[in-house]
Amino acid sequence: MKLKIYLTIILNIFYYCNGYRILGIFPFNAKSHFMMYGELMKGLAKMGHQVDVISPYPLKKPYPNYSDVIVYPQVTQGLVNNLTYREMKLYTSGTPVAFVGSVAGNQICQGMADPKVFNFLQNPPNDPPYDAIIVEIFGAHCFLALGSKWNVPVIGASSAVLYPWMHDIIANPENLAFVSNNLINYAENLDFSSRLYNVISASFNKFYFNYITASQDEIIRKYLGPNAMGVREAESNVAMILVNSYFSLNGVRPFTPALIEVGGLHVQDESPELSKDLKKWLDESNEGVVYFTFGSMVRIETFPLNIIDNFYKAFAKIAPVRVLMKIPRKEDLPEGLPDNVLVLPWMPQLKILQHPNVKVFITHGGLMGTQESIYSGVPMIGIPLFADQFVNIDLYVSKKIAIKLDIDNFNDKDLVHALSSILTDPNYKKAAKRISEQFKDRPMTPIDTAEYWIRYIIKNGKNSLRSPAMDLSWWQLALLDVYGFLLLSCILLLFLIYILVKLIRNNLFKNKKVPFSKKVR
């Protein structure tokens, strides 16, 4: 037994002493996105790799093997507890692609002009050099060109299910016949009109994203050199993508091996503990607790009075059930907050969701928060606001673990009915526990999966998971040339048969023709 323990220790020491140097570039200033990437890089550091990070969110406390080499400049509005209802509506008034491509894409890429960033991109450390670069693929794909410039494998990371324009990066099949793209409402069984809309929506969003971000070619060559590859070529240079999804939750679909599912990677037990006062309040909430937050971007206190009034009325009606609300600025809330509601500016969300007295999670449908709720087995009331939140909530509704409300068309009675349904119907809790168990049931943890495949790419090269489909055009992938040849061959064969039958028919009639002289006799 002791020998086995010693061997395990020796193997672990050997494993962790063979770490790599990895750079993470996550320039988009949305804390909800960085939740996944920060945990990814901390996980890699914990496994013995030396990780450097470029992001707008440096760690507040030192972490072994983790270095914030550059704090990325705030070239756009930071999205942390400061997005008002009006700003949210303004940002989402157009298509999501416009925001992602321009604000989260082109504008973010302009941060390369920052002297610290520019100097780093021109003179990366070489003591030792980087073994791999991990880059967020969302809008700022300009950073993908660093792989070619530094001759290092580039690994993409997506904090959401792949958006339509991301599949082609690794030639991942979209399966639009039965998989809704994540910018439309989710449906399990797509009828003809839904499939038609799915294809048109995905195709338009791809085209529009590529059109908007084409200007990143100029940005890349301005800051990385005139001979640097363009953004589309840089995308095709990506070795693999780590995506925040998992088949037990998001559905079974074929993937290329270069798409690695690590859904729920950000759900870590290292999150802060509950304060004594909050723990006492939760422990004493014997009738149950409703946890309510719209994430790390949007400020609920800036919503129109009629919407907040609906929340107040509904929460008062479900007393003695208590409500815990995340409100960054309590002083901005209108008067009338019910006595059964506790408001705090920040709280450890995972620990709250794991508390046995928390019965319902009211959420906007952000993927990070809802995955934490699913992990904890807590059913939800979804009130989506923008982007992929609609398809997320639709998915959870289909799995009987959520009820959906419309932010602009609900009243206090609708919310009370939804809350009462989940609080009194045990089927919601049972379904949430079942989905939670399926979500956790994996051969390896998400961070172990990510680390294994990152190590695989570094050891075996950037093309080790490359799909042959990357070298084919769209019409070859769709087999249009094959179908066209077969159709033409069938037409030609039918034509030849027609000519042959016509010739045989003419010859038969010609041979049977009686001479005119015999007819007279």
Side-chain angles (χ1 to χ4, degrees):
M1 184 66 181
K2 288 184 178 180
L3 179 61
K4 186 177 180 180
I5 294 173
Y6 291 146
L7 285 173
T8 302
I9 293 173
I10 292 171
L11 287 173
N12 283 333
I13 292 172
F14 175 79
Y15 178 81
Y16 288 121
C17 286
N18 283 270
Y20 294 106
R21 188 171 192 184
I22 301 169
L23 173 67
I25 303 178
F26 316 111
F28 183 46
N29 49 348
K31 192 63 179 285
S32 58
H33 285 230
F34 189 71
M35 284 175 62
M36 171 184 170
Y37 308 134
E39 292 300 332
L40 169 63
M41 300 310 286
K42 285 195 292 185
L44 294 174
K46 193 174 181 179
M47 292 177 171
H49 301 287
Q50 180 183 349
V51 302
D52 295 341
V53 178
I54 298 175
S55 81
Y57 304 106
L59 295 182
K60 294 180 181 179
K61 296 180 180 179
Y63 198 93
N65 299 329
Y66 186 116
S67 299
D68 289 297
V69 289
I70 292 177
V71 178
Y72 200 77
Q74 296 275 352
V75 292
T76 63
Q77 177 186 355
L79 299 175
V80 182
N81 294 329
N82 62 345
L83 195 63
T84 66
Y85 179 86
R86 183 176 175 277
E87 289 170 331
M88 179 194 73
K89 287 295 186 181
L90 181 64
Y91 281 140
T92 58
S93 58
T95 65
V97 185
F99 174 83
V100 175
S102 57
V103 178
N106 300 344
Q107 290 183 35
I108 293 293
C109 287
Q110 292 291 351
M112 286 183 172
D114 181 86
K116 290 183 180 179
V117 177
F118 179 78
N119 182 64
F120 183 87
L121 299 181
Q122 297 300 322
N123 304 286
N126 54 13
D127 53 344
Y130 290 116
D131 296 294
I133 307 172
I134 303 175
V135 180
E136 177 179 19
I137 53 166
F138 187 54
H141 293 184
C142 50
F143 291 95
L144 299 176
L146 284 174
S148 174
K149 181 177 175 64
W150 294 353
N151 193 28
V152 179
V154 177
I155 295 165
S158 176
S159 61
V161 176
L162 293 190
Y163 285 92
W165 54 87
M166 298 176 181
H167 293 273
D168 291 344
I169 293 177
I170 53 172
N172 185 64
E174 291 179 88
N175 310 297
L176 295 173
F178 64 95
V179 179
S180 303
N181 82 75
N182 68 336
L183 290 177
I184 66 173
N185 292 338
Y186 172 84
E188 283 191 347
N189 299 307
L190 299 174
D191 57 20
F192 172 76
S193 60
S194 298
R195 284 185 282 119
L196 178 63
Y197 179 64
N198 198 23
V199 170
I200 293 173
S201 169
S203 301
F204 170 77
N205 287 321
K206 281 186 196 178
F207 171 80
Y208 195 26
F209 178 83
N210 290 341
Y211 171 77
I212 293 173
T213 57
S215 60
Q216 291 183 25
D217 286 355
E218 182 180 346
I219 298 172
I220 290 172
R221 287 167 185 143
K222 182 177 181 180
Y223 299 113
L224 298 185
N227 296 322
M229 60 174 55
V231 66
R232 301 285 87 87
E233 188 181 357
E235 288 173 344
S236 65
N237 204 38
V238 171
M240 74 175 186
I241 296 175
L242 303 172
V243 62
N244 189 20
S245 66
Y246 196 62
F247 73 88
S248 66
L249 179 63
N250 300 98
V252 175
R253 60 194 74 176
F255 285 148
T256 174
L259 187 65
I260 309 300
E261 290 195 296
V262 292
L265 184 147
H266 70 288
V267 183
Q268 300 291 335
D269 290 331
E270 292 182 356
S271 61
E273 295 295 330
L274 297 168
S275 66
K276 289 183 178 179
D277 290 341
L278 180 54
K279 186 178 186 306
K280 182 175 181 293
W281 186 87
L282 289 169
D283 289 343
E284 294 174 351
S285 302
N286 297 321
E287 300 300 323
V289 174
V290 175
Y291 176 51
F292 178 24
T293 176
F294 278 163
S296 61
M297 294 185 189
V298 179
R299 293 175 55 211
I300 297 173
E301 61 270 34
T302 67
F303 278 47
L305 287 176
N306 66 304
I307 294 178
I308 294 179
D309 187 56
N310 285 328
F311 286 130
Y312 282 3
K313 288 179 180 177
F315 295 157
K317 289 177 181 177
I318 64 170
V321 174
R322 290 177 167 182
V323 179
L324 179 60
M325 286 180 69
K326 175 183 170 291
I327 301 293
R329 301 177 191 173
K330 181 180 178 180
E331 63 274 14
D332 292 341
L333 274 176
E335 295 181 358
L337 188 71
D339 294 335
N340 63 325
V341 179
L342 174 65
V343 171
L344 293 174
W346 181 88
M347 55 202 85
Q349 182 161 288
L350 182 60
K351 290 294 191 294
I352 289 169
L353 290 169
Q354 290 177 330
H355 194 282
N357 285 341
V358 174
K359 308 300 183 183
V360 187
F361 179 33
I362 300 178
T363 173
H364 61 313
L367 192 57
M368 301 298 174
T370 55
Q371 284 181 341
E372 291 178 351
S373 187
I374 289 165
Y375 186 89
S376 305
V378 177
M380 295 169 274
I381 293 176
I383 310 177
L385 304 176
F386 52 82
D388 63 338
Q389 296 163 11
F390 293 90
V391 72
N392 292 341
I393 295 300
D394 287 343
L395 172 64
Y396 306 147
V397 169
S398 73
K399 293 185 177 296
K400 314 297 184 186
I401 60 173
I403 296 174
K404 181 180 179 181
L405 296 177
D406 184 348
I407 187 64
D408 295 316
N409 294 292
F410 84 97
N411 56 40
D412 59 299
K413 293 180 182 179
D414 297 326
L415 182 53
V416 169
H417 181 267
L419 287 166
S420 299
S421 297
I422 293 180
L423 289 169
T424 59
D425 186 350
N427 289 321
Y428 284 100
K429 184 64 177 179
K430 289 178 182 177
K433 283 188 174 181
R434 185 181 70 254
I435 298 298
S436 175
E437 291 170 359
Q438 292 175 352
F439 191 60
K440 297 175 185 177
D441 190 1
R442 315 184 190 197
M444 291 194 294
T445 65
I447 186 60
D448 286 337
T449 302
E451 196 272 345
Y452 172 84
W453 287 106
I454 290 169
R455 185 181 286 272
Y456 183 92
I457 288 294
I458 293 172
K459 289 193 298 183
N460 297 289
K462 67 178 184 179
N463 293 324
S464 53
L465 297 177
R466 181 182 172 86
S467 169
M470 294 292 294
D471 301 318
L472 300 177
S473 61
W474 67 269
W475 49 269
Q476 289 174 314
L477 282 174
L479 291 174
L480 293 184
D481 53 343
V482 174
Y483 296 142
F485 174 78
L486 293 174
L487 178 61
L488 185 62
S489 298
C490 288
I491 293 172
L492 182 60
L493 180 61
L494 290 174
F495 179 73
L496 291 175
I497 292 173
Y498 168 76
I499 295 298
L500 182 60
V501 169
K502 189 175 181 181
L503 288 174
I504 293 173
R505 181 173 175 273
N506 289 341
N507 286 333
L508 286 174
F509 277 109
K510 185 177 180 181
N511 293 334
K512 291 181 178 180
K513 194 171 182 180
V514 181
F516 180 76
S517 58
K518 289 185 177 181
K519 284 182 180 182
V520 173
R521 292 179 184 179

